[in-house]
């Protein structure tokens, strides 16, 4: 019985270590993936510099995640990051958001709560154009190879689970 419990504990530890593996551990020479989940990380991030306020009203289902905290896209909101290469930027909003967001001074329109755009190497900014709630950020640099099961199962439209929102 002890051997079975010990084996089970080892398996659980290995599975937990695999699940909690950070996404920023890629082979040298390939691009990288950076994500920010406002539900688990609030405004703190080592890659994205985030200025703004969060809200806990409403929630969205995206890519197997339940997102319950969002960044309020207001006039004082600013997200800055330095891309080493051209990269695909994905932003997840409330699923009914079809408004605009400024990406490095250009207005880009979200569709059904999802915005995907290519950003260029160098300093990039995300700012408010229209009022919105931003739940999740994903940046994949060129050369990135999809290695996680979550990335391979990415959905195209976030699913909103409650109607209450604070914009």
């Amino acid at each position: 019985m002890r051997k079975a419990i010990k084996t089970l504990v080892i398996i659980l530890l290995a599975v937990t270590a695999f699940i909690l593996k950070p996404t920023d551990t890629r082979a040298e020479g390939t691009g990288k993936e950076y994500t920010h989940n406002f539900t688990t990380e609030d405004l703190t991030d080592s890659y994205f510099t985030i200025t703004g306020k969060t809200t806990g009203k409403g929630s969205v289902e995206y890519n197997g995640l339940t997102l319950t905290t969002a960044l309020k896209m207001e006039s004082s909101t600013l997200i800055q990051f330095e891309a080493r290469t051209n990269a695909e930027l994905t932003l997840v909003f409330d699923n009914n958001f079809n408004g605009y967001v400024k990406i490095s001074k250009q207005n880009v329109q979200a569709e059904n709560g999802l915005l995907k755009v290519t950003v260029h190497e160098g300093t990039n900014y995300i700012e408010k154009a229209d009022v919105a709630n931003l739940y999740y950020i994903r940046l994949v640099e060129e050369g990135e190879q999809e290695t996680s099961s979550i990335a391979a199962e990415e959905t195209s439209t976030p699913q909103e689970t409650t109607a209450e929102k604070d914009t």
Side-chain angles (χ1 to χ4, degrees):
M1 182 66 156
R2 283 186 175 169
K3 186 174 182 177
I5 292 173
K6 184 178 179 182
T7 303
L8 181 59
V9 168
I10 290 170
I11 291 170
L12 288 173
L13 288 173
V15 168
T16 302
F18 177 77
I19 290 171
L20 297 178
K21 181 180 174 185
T23 59
D24 190 13
T25 55
R26 307 299 171 134
E28 192 64 36
T30 65
K32 292 188 179 186
E33 174 182 349
Y34 301 93
T35 62
H36 186 82
N37 180 337
F38 289 97
T39 301
T40 58
E41 299 161 349
D42 200 52
L43 298 174
T44 305
D45 196 278
S46 60
Y47 182 74
F48 299 100
T49 302
I50 304 167
T51 304
K53 298 176 189 171
T54 56
T55 180
K57 294 185 178 180
S59 71
V60 169
E61 294 287 329
Y62 176 74
N63 206 22
L65 301 170
T66 300
L67 306 167
T68 58
T69 301
L71 178 68
K72 294 179 181 183
M73 296 301 291
E74 303 173 312
S75 58
S76 61
T77 302
L78 177 65
I79 303 166
Q80 180 180 338
F81 59 95
E82 193 77 28
R84 294 181 320 150
T85 67
N86 290 347
E88 181 182 69
L89 176 67
T90 303
L91 304 177
V92 178
F93 300 93
D94 293 311
N95 73 338
N96 61 348
F97 180 66
N98 292 306
Y100 289 88
V101 177
K102 285 186 184 176
I103 309 291
S104 298
K105 307 295 184 195
Q106 298 291 320
N107 282 339
V108 183
Q109 187 172 17
E111 194 172 315
N112 298 319
L114 194 67
L115 187 151
K116 284 189 178 188
V117 64
T118 299
V119 296
H120 298 289
E121 178 180 353
T123 303
N124 289 274
Y125 301 93
I126 303 169
E127 300 173 276
K128 171 196 174 262
D130 293 329
V131 174
N133 290 323
L134 174 62
Y135 289 86
Y136 191 81
I137 304 168
R138 180 174 183 240
L139 181 83
V140 180
E141 294 179 338
E142 284 185 355
E144 178 60 37
Q145 296 174 351
E146 300 293 342
T147 57
S148 73
S149 60
I150 290 176
E153 297 170 7
E154 184 172 321
T155 59
S156 62
T157 305
Q159 300 297 312
E160 195 164 348
T161 56
T162 61
E164 184 180 6
K165 296 180 282 302
D166 181 32
T167 54

